[in-house]
Amino acid sequence: MKILVVGNGGREHAIVWKLKKDDPSAQVFCAPGNAGTAAIAENVAVPADDVAALVAWARENRPDFTVVGPEVPLCLGLVDELEAAGFAAFGPVRSAARIEGSKSFAKEVMAAAQVPTARARVVRSEAEARDAVSEFGVPVVLKADGLAAGKGVMVCLSQDDVETALRDLFSDNRFGAAASEVLVEEFLEGEEASILAFVDGETVVPLASAQDHKRLLDADEGPNTGGMGAYSPAPVVTDDMLAVVESQVLRPVVAELSRRGISYKGVLYAGLMLTATGPKVLEFNCRFGDPETQAILPRLATPLLPALQACRAGTLSPDLVAWDPRPAVCVVMVSGGYPGSYRKGIAVEGLDEAATLPDATVFHAGTAKRGGVVTTDGGRVFGVTALGETLKDAVAAAYRAVVKIKFDGAFYRSDIAWRALARKD
Ligand code: AMP
Ligand code: GLY
């Protein structure tokens, strides 16, 4: 079995790790990958968003299956192009990936499917935006319509924040074409949770729940990041709530897309705010979450590839997915300065020592190997994941490995899973 995984983050290392764990004889490639994927698979020096070069690689190397990790190649139509060239690929086609690629499209689909979400107005100018802000009142949330590498959402708690956001979006044009449309959205309060599901065009099979930690600092303070850690399951998501999300969010969206002639196949990720009046959708992603995947896949007791193949073939069923009951925690280690500017190329020490700890797995994200040495190569550098009999055990095991790993400027949150731990006490 020859498998290509597209991407270079912690999510892709976790996908490669799971595929190799399920089938050590599988020949796995990762484009472009990182130092972690290079250790267990073969890296391919093609960027994840170079659709033409990836299709050319496939024609030459003939993978049996391709798994596309990040949203950018999905929104560029990599799956469409691979399938058109005769290669089986996992992930939504371009028209389906718009559920993440355009927030106004996602809102329109949610409205048609009567999915609970924040009230919002789509605006095209600063004047229209001001009008909408005065309608909703402050706090309010402004969002660039298109993909903005996780930076296009501005939660404005004060009028000053609104002014900064308006400047970024309209005067400074910081987001380019991604902000030709802007969503002004009602501010929602509550705890957040991520529900990811496998979808085969029709059937929806939710994965184990997870919670991300978007803020940089302990106690959810500081700027938003790509995600500083995750754990699974999220005890705030009860079975009843999961059933509500499945019946009121996931199935209606898939059905509405299907009604529009769009067959959604892949992972559908609903970012939810659990409000006093029930779960409401903050956003959809058209892919596995990062770092949620690093906490979810170590708990997947069934092999990954058959589930991915069933999504593509339209033969998905719940018995393809079973879970290890033990919780998992992923602590993300980042470069000093992240999410602002940071240095790259800093040597990492202690990985061998961390690898000797039985319960922990170190997923690489922004790493590269230079002259036999692992160095930092991005903002999020590692996702250190551990399973435990209890959540507390899992947290302790993850941090036991984290403290072994050292690089200049390394930073991580010390309170991953605090909400779930507080709930239990
Ligand atoms: P998103 O990229 O849409 O998930 O937004 C990033 C973060 O902004 C979310 O994880 C929330 O913490 C916050 N956010 C987005 N939309 C809202 C909203 N309507 N109300 C409150 N917070 C929001
Ligand atoms: N963890 C958030 C995301 O994957 O977008």
Side-chain angles (χ1 to χ4, degrees):
M1 191 76 194
K2 210 169 178 179
I3 309 170
L4 171 66
V5 176
V6 176
N8 64 349
R11 164 184 53 210
E12 286 76 23
H13 188 188
I15 292 169
V16 169
W17 169 88
K18 174 66 175 156
L19 292 169
K20 285 296 282 188
K21 185 165 168 253
D22 294 339
D23 177 8
S25 73
Q27 208 185 348
V28 183
F29 297 85
C30 195
N34 56 39
T37 60
I40 54 171
E42 197 174 316
N43 283 357
V44 174
V46 177
D49 55 1
D50 191 339
V51 173
L54 289 166
V55 174
W57 186 90
R59 284 190 205 279
E60 204 161 302
N61 296 278
R62 318 210 66 80
D64 300 301
F65 200 73
T66 297
V67 185
V68 184
E71 63 277 17
V72 171
L74 290 167
C75 290
L76 289 173
L78 177 57
V79 168
D80 314 49
E81 299 286 330
L82 284 170
E83 291 280 350
F87 299 104
F90 175 81
V93 292
R94 182 185 180 146
S95 57
R98 269 188 91 201
I99 200 79
E100 174 167 3
S102 166
K103 292 183 194 292
S104 63
F105 175 71
K107 280 285 180 198
E108 182 197 314
V109 170
M110 283 191 271
Q114 293 180 302
V115 169
T117 183
R119 289 184 301 134
R121 260 175 64 186
V122 180
V123 300
R124 286 177 190 76
S125 70
E126 186 177 331
E128 280 178 12
R130 285 190 186 280
D131 191 53
V133 168
S134 54
E135 179 188 330
F136 292 125
V138 177
V140 69
V141 185
L142 273 64
K143 301 184 175 184
D145 178 66
L147 295 182
K151 299 190 172 75
V153 174
M154 285 143 275
V155 178
C156 304
L157 299 177
S158 65
Q159 188 60 36
D160 275 357
D161 293 346
V162 172
E163 297 303 329
T164 306
L166 290 174
R167 205 173 321 122
D168 285 349
L169 285 161
F170 295 104
S171 327
D172 295 352
N173 204 16
R174 247 186 68 193
F175 301 99
S180 55
E181 291 189 321
V182 170
L183 257 74
V184 179
E185 192 169 291
E186 161 195 28
F187 176 81
L188 297 177
E189 269 176 287
E191 192 167 334
E192 288 179 53
S194 311
I195 301 292
L196 287 70
F198 286 135
V199 182
D200 74 347
E202 192 184 330
T203 302
V204 172
V205 176
L207 309 189
S209 62
Q211 195 173 65
D212 191 1
H213 299 62
K214 297 231 160 130
R215 303 296 204 92
L216 179 70
L217 306 175
D218 282 7
D220 295 333
E221 307 265 0
N224 258 317
T225 70
M228 296 296 291
Y231 59 93
S232 170
V236 64
V237 181
T238 59
D239 288 348
D240 286 352
M241 190 183 298
L242 187 59
V244 168
V245 172
E246 205 178 327
S247 65
Q248 293 186 13
V249 175
L250 299 169
R251 288 184 199 286
V253 162
V254 171
E256 173 60 24
L257 289 172
S258 168
R259 205 184 58 74
R260 294 167 183 235
I262 299 168
S263 178
Y264 194 101
K265 296 180 176 191
V267 168
L268 180 61
Y269 165 138
L272 302 165
M273 188 70 90
L274 308 174
T275 73
T277 55
K280 292 189 178 174
V281 175
L282 294 177
E283 62 161 353
F284 284 112
N285 292 325
C286 64
R287 52 172 173 83
F288 282 109
D290 189 337
E292 290 93 329
T293 304
Q294 294 88 305
I296 289 174
L297 286 187
R299 300 189 57 225
L300 183 61
T302 43
L304 180 60
L305 185 63
L308 304 184
Q309 288 172 319
C311 288
R312 174 178 175 272
T315 54
L316 184 64
S317 80
D319 49 290
L320 285 169
V321 180
W323 300 100
D324 183 331
R326 290 176 299 164
V329 171
C330 170
V331 178
V332 173
M333 301 181 74
V334 303
S335 298
Y338 174 84
S341 59
Y342 51 82
R343 284 202 299 138
K344 290 185 187 178
I346 301 169
V348 179
E349 281 167 28
L351 287 169
D352 289 343
E353 221 181 314
T356 63
L357 297 174
D359 305 318
T361 306
V362 179
F363 293 120
H364 290 228
T367 66
K369 206 159 183 180
R370 292 206 176 91
V373 178
V374 174
T375 63
T376 65
D377 196 39
R380 291 193 288 175
V381 183
F382 297 105
V384 181
T385 299
L387 288 161
E389 287 307 322
T390 65
L391 185 63
K392 220 169 154 180
D393 293 343
V395 168
Y399 281 105
R400 272 200 296 276
V402 165
V403 297
K404 303 279 183 213
I405 302 172
K406 301 206 161 73
F407 55 92
D408 226 22
F411 179 77
Y412 53 87
R413 275 179 65 158
S414 65
D415 68 344
I416 298 306
W418 71 275
R419 283 183 192 274
L421 291 172
R423 183 172 292 272
K424 292 231 159 104
D425 289 344

